[in-house]
Every structure is written in structure tokens, then in C-alpha cells.
Coordinates of all heavy atoms in Angstrom, one line a residue:
V1 N -42.6 -70.6 -10.6 CA -41.7 -69.8 -9.8 C -40.3 -70.1 -10.1 O -39.4 -69.2 -10.2 CB -42.1 -70.0 -8.3 CG1 -41.0 -69.3 -7.4 CG2 -43.4 -69.3 -8.0
M2 N -40.0 -71.4 -10.1 CA -38.6 -71.8 -10.4 C -38.1 -71.4 -11.8 O -36.9 -71.1 -12.0 CB -38.5 -73.3 -10.2 CG -37.0 -73.8 -10.2 SD -36.0 -73.0 -8.9 CE -36.7 -73.8 -7.4
L3 N -39.0 -71.4 -12.7 CA -38.7 -71.0 -14.1 C -38.2 -69.5 -14.1 O -37.2 -69.2 -14.7 CB -39.9 -71.2 -15.0 CG -39.7 -70.7 -16.5 CD1 -38.6 -71.4 -17.2 CD2 -41.0 -70.8 -17.2
F4 N -38.9 -68.7 -13.4 CA -38.6 -67.3 -13.3 C -37.4 -67.0 -12.4 O -36.5 -66.2 -12.7 CB -39.8 -66.4 -12.9 CG -40.8 -66.2 -14.0 CD1 -41.9 -67.0 -14.0 CD2 -40.6 -65.3 -15.0 CE1 -42.9 -66.8 -15.0 CE2 -41.5 -65.1 -16.0 CZ -42.7 -65.8 -16.0
V5 N -37.3 -67.8 -11.3 CA -36.1 -67.6 -10.4 C -34.8 -68.0 -11.1 O -33.8 -67.3 -11.1 CB -36.3 -68.4 -9.1 CG1 -35.0 -68.5 -8.3 CG2 -37.4 -67.8 -8.3
S6 N -34.9 -69.2 -11.8 CA -33.7 -69.6 -12.5 C -33.3 -68.7 -13.7 O -32.1 -68.5 -14.0 CB -33.9 -71.1 -13.1 OG -34.9 -71.1 -14.1
S7 N -34.3 -68.1 -14.3 CA -34.0 -67.2 -15.4 C -33.4 -65.9 -14.9 O -32.4 -65.3 -15.4 CB -35.3 -66.8 -16.2 OG -35.9 -68.0 -16.7
L8 N -33.9 -65.4 -13.7 CA -33.3 -64.2 -13.1 C -31.9 -64.5 -12.6 O -31.0 -63.7 -12.8 CB -34.2 -63.8 -11.9 CG -33.6 -62.6 -11.1 CD1 -33.6 -61.4 -12.0 CD2 -34.5 -62.4 -9.9
A9 N -31.6 -65.7 -12.1 CA -30.3 -66.1 -11.6 C -29.3 -66.1 -12.8 O -28.2 -65.7 -12.8 CB -30.3 -67.4 -10.9
F10 N -29.8 -66.7 -14.0 CA -29.0 -66.8 -15.2 C -28.7 -65.4 -15.7 O -27.5 -65.1 -16.0 CB -29.9 -67.5 -16.2 CG -29.1 -67.8 -17.5 CD1 -28.1 -68.8 -17.5 CD2 -29.4 -67.1 -18.7 CE1 -27.4 -69.1 -18.7 CE2 -28.7 -67.4 -19.9 CZ -27.7 -68.4 -19.9
G11 N -29.6 -64.4 -15.6 CA -29.4 -63.1 -16.0 C -28.4 -62.4 -15.1 O -27.5 -61.7 -15.5
L12 N -28.6 -62.6 -13.8 CA -27.7 -61.9 -12.8 C -26.3 -62.5 -12.9 O -25.3 -61.7 -12.7 CB -28.2 -62.2 -11.4 CG -29.5 -61.4 -11.0 CD1 -30.0 -61.9 -9.6 CD2 -29.2 -59.9 -10.9
A13 N -26.1 -63.8 -13.2 CA -24.8 -64.3 -13.3 C -24.1 -63.7 -14.5 O -22.9 -63.5 -14.5 CB -24.9 -65.9 -13.6
H14 N -24.8 -63.4 -15.6 CA -24.2 -62.8 -16.8 C -24.0 -61.3 -16.6 O -23.3 -60.6 -17.3 CB -25.1 -63.0 -18.0 CG -25.0 -64.4 -18.5 ND1 -25.6 -65.5 -17.9 CD2 -24.4 -64.9 -19.6 CE1 -25.4 -66.6 -18.6 NE2 -24.6 -66.2 -19.7
G15 N -24.7 -60.7 -15.6 CA -24.6 -59.3 -15.4 C -23.7 -58.8 -14.3 O -22.9 -57.9 -14.5
F16 N -23.6 -59.6 -13.2 CA -22.8 -59.1 -12.1 C -21.9 -60.1 -11.4 O -21.1 -59.7 -10.6 CB -23.8 -58.5 -11.0 CG -24.5 -57.3 -11.5 CD1 -25.8 -57.3 -11.8 CD2 -23.8 -56.1 -11.6 CE1 -26.5 -56.2 -12.3 CE2 -24.5 -54.9 -12.0 CZ -25.8 -55.0 -12.4
S17 N -22.2 -61.4 -11.6 CA -21.4 -62.4 -10.9 C -19.9 -62.3 -11.3 O -19.5 -62.2 -12.4 CB -21.9 -63.8 -11.3 OG -21.1 -64.8 -10.7
G18 N -19.1 -62.3 -10.2 CA -17.6 -62.1 -10.5 C -17.0 -63.3 -11.2 O -16.0 -63.1 -11.9
W19 N -17.6 -64.5 -11.1 CA -17.0 -65.7 -11.8 C -17.4 -65.7 -13.3 O -16.7 -66.4 -14.1 CB -17.5 -67.0 -11.2 CG -19.0 -67.2 -11.2 CD1 -19.9 -67.0 -10.3 CD2 -19.7 -67.8 -12.3 NE1 -21.1 -67.3 -10.7 CE2 -21.1 -67.9 -11.9 CE3 -19.3 -68.4 -13.6 CZ2 -22.1 -68.4 -12.7 CZ3 -20.3 -68.9 -14.4 CH2 -21.7 -68.9 -14.0
H20 N -18.4 -65.0 -13.7 CA -18.8 -65.1 -15.1 C -18.0 -64.2 -16.0 O -17.7 -63.1 -15.7 CB -20.3 -64.7 -15.3 CG -20.9 -65.3 -16.5 ND1 -20.7 -64.7 -17.8 CD2 -21.6 -66.4 -16.7 CE1 -21.3 -65.5 -18.7 NE2 -21.9 -66.5 -18.1
Y21 N -17.5 -64.8 -17.1 CA -16.6 -64.2 -18.0 C -17.2 -63.1 -18.8 O -16.5 -62.4 -19.6 CB -15.9 -65.3 -18.9 CG -16.9 -66.2 -19.5 CD1 -17.5 -65.9 -20.7 CD2 -17.2 -67.4 -18.9 CE1 -18.4 -66.8 -21.3 CE2 -18.1 -68.3 -19.5 CZ -18.7 -68.0 -20.7 OH -19.6 -68.8 -21.2
L22 N -18.5 -62.9 -18.8 CA -19.1 -61.9 -19.7 C -20.0 -60.9 -18.8 O -20.9 -60.4 -19.3 CB -20.0 -62.5 -20.8 CG -19.2 -63.2 -21.9 CD1 -20.2 -63.7 -22.9 CD2 -18.2 -62.2 -22.6
A23 N -19.6 -60.8 -17.5 CA -20.4 -60.0 -16.7 C -20.5 -58.6 -17.3 O -19.5 -57.9 -17.5 CB -19.8 -59.9 -15.3
G24 N -21.7 -58.0 -17.5 CA -21.8 -56.8 -18.2 C -22.9 -55.8 -17.7 O -23.3 -55.0 -18.4
G25 N -23.3 -55.9 -16.4 CA -24.2 -54.9 -15.8 C -25.6 -55.3 -16.0 O -26.0 -56.3 -16.5
W26 N -26.5 -54.3 -15.7 CA -27.9 -54.5 -15.7 C -28.5 -54.9 -17.1 O -29.4 -55.7 -17.1 CB -28.6 -53.2 -15.2 CG -28.6 -53.1 -13.8 CD1 -27.9 -52.2 -13.0 CD2 -29.3 -53.8 -12.8 NE1 -28.1 -52.3 -11.7 CE2 -29.0 -53.3 -11.5 CE3 -30.2 -54.9 -12.9 CZ2 -29.5 -53.9 -10.3 CZ3 -30.8 -55.4 -11.7 CH2 -30.4 -54.9 -10.5
I27 N -27.9 -54.4 -18.1 CA -28.4 -54.7 -19.4 C -28.3 -56.2 -19.7 O -29.1 -56.8 -20.4 CB -27.8 -53.8 -20.5 CG1 -28.5 -54.0 -21.8 CG2 -26.3 -54.2 -20.7 CD1 -30.0 -53.7 -21.8
F28 N -27.2 -56.8 -19.2 CA -27.1 -58.3 -19.5 C -28.0 -59.1 -18.6 O -28.3 -60.2 -19.0 CB -25.6 -58.7 -19.2 CG -24.8 -58.7 -20.5 CD1 -24.7 -57.6 -21.3 CD2 -24.1 -59.9 -20.8 CE1 -24.0 -57.6 -22.5 CE2 -23.3 -59.9 -22.0 CZ -23.3 -58.8 -22.8
V29 N -28.4 -58.5 -17.5 CA -29.4 -59.2 -16.7 C -30.7 -59.3 -17.5 O -31.4 -60.3 -17.5 CB -29.7 -58.4 -15.3 CG1 -30.8 -59.1 -14.6 CG2 -28.4 -58.4 -14.5
F30 N -31.1 -58.2 -18.1 CA -32.3 -58.2 -18.9 C -32.2 -59.1 -20.2 O -33.0 -59.9 -20.4 CB -32.6 -56.7 -19.4 CG -33.7 -56.6 -20.4 CD1 -35.0 -56.8 -20.0 CD2 -33.4 -56.3 -21.7 CE1 -36.0 -56.7 -20.9 CE2 -34.5 -56.2 -22.6 CZ -35.8 -56.4 -22.2
I31 N -31.1 -59.0 -20.9 CA -30.9 -59.7 -22.1 C -30.8 -61.2 -21.8 O -31.6 -62.0 -22.4 CB -29.6 -59.3 -22.9 CG1 -29.8 -57.8 -23.4 CG2 -29.4 -60.2 -24.1 CD1 -28.5 -57.2 -24.0
Q32 N -29.9 -61.6 -21.0 CA -29.7 -63.0 -20.7 C -30.8 -63.6 -19.8 O -31.0 -64.8 -19.8 CB -28.3 -63.2 -20.1 CG -27.2 -62.8 -21.0 CD -27.3 -63.5 -22.4 OE1 -27.7 -64.7 -22.5 NE2 -26.9 -62.8 -23.4
G33 N -31.5 -62.8 -19.0 CA -32.6 -63.3 -18.3 C -33.7 -63.8 -19.2 O -34.3 -64.9 -18.9
V34 N -34.0 -63.1 -20.3 CA -35.0 -63.6 -21.2 C -34.5 -64.8 -22.0 O -35.2 -65.8 -22.2 CB -35.4 -62.5 -22.2 CG1 -36.3 -63.0 -23.3 CG2 -36.0 -61.3 -21.5
T35 N -33.2 -64.8 -22.3 CA -32.6 -66.0 -22.9 C -32.7 -67.2 -22.0 O -33.0 -68.3 -22.4 CB -31.1 -65.7 -23.2 OG1 -31.0 -64.6 -24.1 CG2 -30.4 -66.9 -23.8

């Protein structure tokens, strides 16, 4: 569960988080979530 939760958080941070320098929308949630 934590593996998937942390991966989702990683993707969301890259997609929508205001602090992240590469926030890029839903597509980055998908791309960086798998990463």
C-alpha cells in the first residue's frame, strides 16, 4: 500500500504541486507515478 501511495504522491507532486518546479498536469502524474 505504501509503495503505491508514495508513487501516487510522487506523481501528484510532479503534476500539480505548487512547489514542484516541473508541475505539468495529469500526464505528469501518470509518467512520474510509474517512475
